[in-house]
Amino acid sequence: MGQCHQLFVIAKINGRYRTLCAVHHQWLYGHTAVKRCLGSLRIFQDPGNRVPLQQELLIAKDREASLWPEDPPEIGDREEYIHFPFIATCLTLGASFGRDAYHHGVSIEPFYMQYNQGHNNNGITIFDITDLERVCYCFVDFNGMESEREVQLMAPLSGRTYLAAYYDLDEVGGQAVKEQMMPNVEALDKYPLISTSTLQETWPKGEWENPEVDALLAQSPGTDNLGDITDTLGAVTLRETTMDPLLQSLTKPSNDGLALLSELEFLPDFVPKLKRKVYDMASSLELTPNLVVVLVKALGADADVDLSPFTNFSASDLSIVVSALQEHSTMAGLNLSNRAELTEGDLDTILGSDHVCKRLYLLENPQISTHYLTAQLGGYEHFHSDLFRRALIDEGDYRFKQSEDRQKFDFSRSNHLSEVVWIGITADIAIKARPIDYSAMIHVIPQASFGAGYGTSHSFQYHQYPVDEIPVSAGKAMKGLLKLLEWIQSHGGGFMLPADITSAIGCAFATLSSAETSFDAVAAISTSLYTYPRRNSRPEPEQQTVPRPLKNNAWSVVVVYDAFDSYIFPLKDDDDDAEKESRERTRALKKLRYVFVTPVADPAPQQKRFLVADAPTYVKEVLGKDERTRTEADILIEVWNQYFPTTQCEFYAEDDIHDILEKVYPRLEEGSKLNGED
């Protein structure tokens, strides 16, 4: 049942194409599949995702070939362990969430699933991430789809060809679809198509065919979309061969190297070649004072510095290099992934007492526990395999390879945002009463700790969604809120189920916090928010608890949405005018507002209990008072001012927000404790 579709990620690993991730989508076909394909391509090719994607490709190269069996067992017989969780997160977000008001949950399949092992009636989508600067894609119909027209079987199909199977764009009514979809199709035309030979190498038991001529002509003209990936480094030139011994001499301990460095550093292509040489020799290098100077010169321009290949460096050596880079570069991220020997004590030595950067890449570092991340490194943006892995499989099905406690991640002590509060009201209520007394509608009822509070009917929704399972800095709070507001406004005023809102919040805040990165840069997903739609829509009685308080120094963001239901009047089948009037009245009432909130410490008797702020004020309160983060605050405010007008949202400036907050966060009776209190 459903319009079933699977999506795969493949890459060339040690000379052989391998599958790295597969997901099942229960309802994906036609123009929606094209849009999700384009969204996934943008994620895989986004520079903000480059480092963790490269690391997982390196991790795959270190795995034994037996990880990919020649004769895979049935899907139900395999261990559900996610070997490449960042790749899986990218594919999950690309397939299940779009800021165009799209959300539909997906399920992770065993990573080496065969192209034809899933329940399928609408084809598959494949992404080749061998070259992250040239990500390829294709659609495939391997057994006939539930489409209007047939397409070639067992051949790579472009987005244009796949779409034509579902819509005749030349027929009456097709023009609207054409105008809606052509921008996405034209955007897909810019990406190269996966070749038949790649598909044959990935799944050698399939009988693959070259695309037919008309399918080739359907691609954008003048673009060779079927070429195999070439060596991006190019041929070795005579000049490079001559420079090679000079570069190698720079890694020697003698002072002659430093003199040579001062002479060569003015060459326009010197630093890239020096960087390449340093990494070529990384595993054999021993740290010397001269080498520190060379490393700063070679790596100083990198926003994310990769020290993982320098396996001969001790923790003290790495600390020296990190300190030098911190002093002489603009390092924002530090990569120490795939270092099995690295301990938590080593990491303490490397990082020192001060935060040396914003991002820590610790993929497949088995001795670095998730408890250590939350307890000792809460101020960083974390790229840890278990942090990504945990969200993608329901907790009851999760299988750890290492002995690992299964306690919930808790970044609440270091987060700049504690929770998102959702208040939604339907248009029928909004029509009857203006202004709306929201506080009278918020009932203190049993709630669930994973995001709760339910109105007594579909006329009103009230939920608290904690986001303390993932690191949430001020940057992530700002960018996540912008994505969420855009998603809500794009929804068009239709009724939203609690599961949709929950997952939208989980996906929106799975974004990299750095202001300099795009909205397609990916971070870990909150486990309870993303997996919530797979559970019951209402909590079981034994799971219900009282509302979560907002602790001192913690911040929440409250989102208030009027008229979220566009189906408020009884309509007759032929009553088009009434339907039009209904939708127009609803759109006129539709209103989306937000406010950041934090408790006031020891308020005076007549003082408001909460400080309310717009986004720029929130950032200034959290980051602007510290000289070390003031520049970051200014950049984040610029980002907000650039994108916020496009959300058509407003700051909730009315005084009744304090009445609402009194119901959302009721006063504690003396000696009592609410959910979340220590």
Side-chain angles (χ1 to χ4, degrees):
M1 184 176 179
Q3 303 294 323
C4 300
H5 194 107
Q6 288 80 46
L7 300 94
F8 296 84
V9 178
I10 65 174
K12 199 159 195 172
I13 305 298
N14 297 328
R16 164 82 184 273
Y17 266 95
R18 304 289 194 181
T19 54
L20 301 177
C21 181
V23 302
H24 172 84
H25 199 302
Q26 188 67 16
W27 203 271
L28 187 65
Y29 69 100
H31 65 88
T32 306
V34 169
K35 288 196 288 186
R36 300 283 64 81
C37 175
L38 182 59
S40 299
L41 284 167
R42 287 171 174 161
I43 288 174
F44 282 118
Q45 202 156 301
D46 190 281
N49 300 323
R50 189 69 45 83
V51 171
L53 285 172
Q54 286 175 335
Q55 286 305 306
E56 290 204 333
L57 290 175
L58 290 173
I59 290 166
K61 291 179 180 179
D62 287 342
R63 297 293 184 259
E64 298 291 337
S66 59
L67 191 64
W68 295 271
E70 296 296 331
D71 295 308
E74 293 298 321
I75 293 177
D77 296 338
R78 306 183 219 190
E79 180 189 10
E80 301 231 358
Y81 182 80
I82 301 176
H83 289 266
F84 311 106
F86 185 80
I87 293 172
T89 299
C90 290
L91 185 59
T92 296
L93 289 172
S96 64
F97 180 77
R99 299 202 306 275
D100 55 349
Y102 182 81
H103 170 74
H104 194 292
V106 299
S107 57
I108 299 291
E109 298 290 348
F111 74 99
Y112 50 89
M113 175 182 180
Q114 299 296 289
Y115 70 92
N116 59 353
Q117 280 191 295
H119 178 54
N120 188 283
N121 50 11
N122 283 276
I124 61 177
T125 307
I126 307 166
F127 303 98
D128 178 0
I129 64 169
T130 303
D131 183 350
L132 294 172
E133 294 185 356
R134 189 177 181 271
V135 179
C136 308
Y137 86 99
C138 73
F139 294 93
V140 170
D141 179 6
F142 61 85
N143 196 32
M145 303 187 299
E146 294 182 356
S147 56
E148 294 294 323
R149 281 160 292 280
E150 294 182 354
V151 293
Q152 183 183 6
L153 299 180
M154 296 298 290
L157 306 176
S158 68
R160 193 180 295 262
T161 303
Y162 179 81
L163 191 66
Y166 292 88
Y167 312 99
D168 187 343
L169 303 180
D170 296 324
E171 288 186 353
V172 176
Q175 185 62 31
V177 176
K178 187 174 182 179
E179 291 176 356
Q180 177 189 4
M181 289 309 305
M182 280 306 103
N184 292 319
V185 172
E186 291 168 0
L188 269 183
D189 285 340
K190 299 176 183 178
Y191 291 88
L193 205 65
I194 294 175
S195 68
T196 304
S197 61
T198 295
L199 296 177
Q200 189 69 58
E201 190 175 344
T202 306
W203 294 291
K205 293 186 178 182
E207 297 180 359
W208 300 96
E209 298 181 2
N210 288 318
E212 295 171 348
V213 174
D214 58 347
L216 292 175
L217 294 177
Q219 299 175 44
S220 58
T223 303
D224 178 14
N225 280 351
L226 292 176
D228 287 320
I229 294 176
T230 58
D231 182 2
T232 57
L233 298 179
V236 179
T237 64
L238 177 61
R239 178 184 177 189
E240 190 168 347
T241 304
T242 305
M243 187 177 288
D244 189 75
L246 297 176
L247 293 172
Q248 189 164 345
S249 68
L250 292 175
T251 64
K252 305 298 181 182
S254 67
N255 290 326
D256 296 339
L258 291 183
L260 183 62
L261 179 63
S262 63
E263 295 178 12
L264 294 176
E265 62 181 338
F266 297 105
L267 295 175
D269 58 349
F270 169 70
V271 172
K273 286 183 169 58
L274 176 61
K275 178 179 175 180
R276 184 184 302 179
K277 175 55 64 176
V278 164
Y279 278 126
D280 286 344
M281 303 176 61
S283 61
S284 62
L285 292 176
E286 301 285 346
L287 192 66
T288 65
N290 287 350
L291 183 57
V292 174
V293 177
V294 172
L295 291 174
V296 170
K297 176 60 65 177
L299 310 179
D302 293 354
D304 292 298
V305 175
D306 184 8
L307 296 182
S308 60
F310 298 91
T311 52
N312 277 345
F313 288 7
S314 66
S316 297
D317 293 338
L318 290 169
S319 175
I320 293 170
V321 176
V322 167
S323 297
L325 287 166
Q326 184 184 15
E327 183 177 355
H328 298 290
S329 74
T330 57
M331 177 178 63
L334 177 61
N335 180 21
L336 295 169
S337 297
N338 208 21
R339 295 285 295 267
E341 81 287 355
L342 198 68
T343 67
E344 295 170 0
D346 292 335
L347 204 53
D348 287 337
T349 300
I350 295 166
L351 299 178
S353 58
D354 295 328
H355 284 185
V356 299
C357 56
K358 302 174 185 176
R359 300 182 289 274
L360 274 180
Y361 300 93
L362 298 168
L363 298 163
E364 295 304 320
N365 289 52
Q367 296 195 65
I368 309 297
S369 69
T370 53
H371 175 75
Y372 173 78
L373 294 184
T374 58
Q376 302 297 326
L377 301 177
Y380 290 91
E381 180 85 71
H382 297 98
F383 292 80
H384 188 283
S385 296
D386 281 339
L387 188 61
F388 286 95
R389 187 177 288 125
R390 180 76 71 93
L392 299 178
I393 298 181
D394 278 326
E395 194 170 279
D397 297 331
Y398 190 83
R399 303 178 186 179
F400 289 93
K401 269 199 162 182
Q402 295 85 26
S403 58
E404 172 72 62
D405 60 42
R406 297 180 62 175
Q407 65 183 6
K408 173 185 171 184
F409 297 140
D410 184 4
F411 290 93
S412 58
R413 288 187 297 176
S414 57
N415 275 0
H416 292 152
L417 188 70
S418 173
E419 67 179 13
V420 179
V421 178
W422 166 264
I423 300 173
I425 187 169
T426 52
D428 53 343
I429 291 181
I431 288 171
K432 295 174 184 175
R434 286 283 176 174
I436 301 168
D437 187 358
Y438 293 102
S439 62
M441 299 179 189
I442 299 177
H443 306 288
V444 181
I445 62 173
Q447 302 186 34
S449 60
F450 52 79
Y454 294 87
T456 56
S457 72
H458 285 242
S459 299
F460 181 74
Q461 292 177 338
Y462 156 57
H463 309 262
Q464 288 178 271
Y465 297 112
V467 291
D468 51 16
E469 290 180 317
I470 55 173
V472 182
S473 65
K476 183 176 291 188
M478 295 271 280
K479 293 175 67 176
L481 179 60
L482 283 170
K483 289 175 70 173
L484 178 64
L485 295 176
E486 185 177 1
W487 183 89
I488 296 170
Q489 285 288 22
S490 299
H491 203 275
F495 180 75
M496 289 180 279
L497 295 172
D500 296 331
I501 303 165
T502 307
S503 292
I505 293 172
C507 292
F509 282 86
T511 185
L512 199 59
S513 62
S514 303
E516 65 269 18
T517 58
S518 81
F519 288 90
D520 290 319
V522 168
I525 308 173
S526 169
T527 302
S528 58
L529 294 182
Y530 186 76
T531 60
Y532 166 69
R534 306 179 213 166
R535 302 195 290 272
N536 294 329
S537 60
R538 285 183 180 272
E540 296 296 330
E542 60 269 17
Q543 296 176 319
Q544 295 176 341
T545 57
V546 293
R548 289 167 51 95
L550 189 61
K551 298 179 182 180
N552 288 336
N553 301 317
W555 286 84
S556 71
V557 61
V558 180
V559 178
V560 181
Y561 189 32
D562 294 1
F564 63 80
D565 186 355
S566 62
Y567 305 100
I568 60 174
F569 300 106
L571 302 176
K572 299 178 182 179
D573 293 339
D574 58 349
D575 200 356
D576 293 337
D577 291 339
E579 181 178 3
K580 181 179 179 181
E581 179 185 0
S582 168
R583 294 185 183 280
E584 287 180 350
R585 292 181 68 184
T586 301
R587 282 198 294 269
L589 285 165
K590 179 179 172 183
K591 194 172 187 179
L592 179 63
R593 290 170 289 178
Y594 83 96
V595 60
F596 282 94
V597 177
T598 189
V600 173
D602 299 321
Q606 302 302 319
Q607 187 181 4
K608 301 293 186 184
R609 290 178 56 220
F610 300 96
L611 170 67
V612 298
D614 61 6
T617 304
Y618 158 75
V619 171
K620 290 176 183 177
E621 287 288 327
V622 173
L623 299 178
K625 298 178 180 180
D626 189 332
E627 186 175 348
R628 295 173 297 178
T629 56
R630 197 168 296 157
T631 300
E632 180 185 358
D634 292 340
I635 296 174
L636 286 171
I637 292 171
E638 289 180 11
V639 171
W640 178 268
N641 291 336
Q642 177 184 354
Y643 288 100
F644 180 65
T646 66
T647 67
Q648 302 177 14
C649 181
E650 302 173 11
F651 169 61
Y652 199 122
E654 288 83 351
D655 287 340
D656 69 335
I657 186 62
H658 291 281
D659 297 328
I660 296 173
L661 294 175
E662 288 290 344
K663 290 297 184 71
V664 174
Y665 303 115
R667 294 176 184 270
L668 285 172
E669 297 292 337
E670 186 175 355
S672 64
K673 294 182 180 180
L674 290 179
N675 182 45
E677 289 276 85
D678 295 329

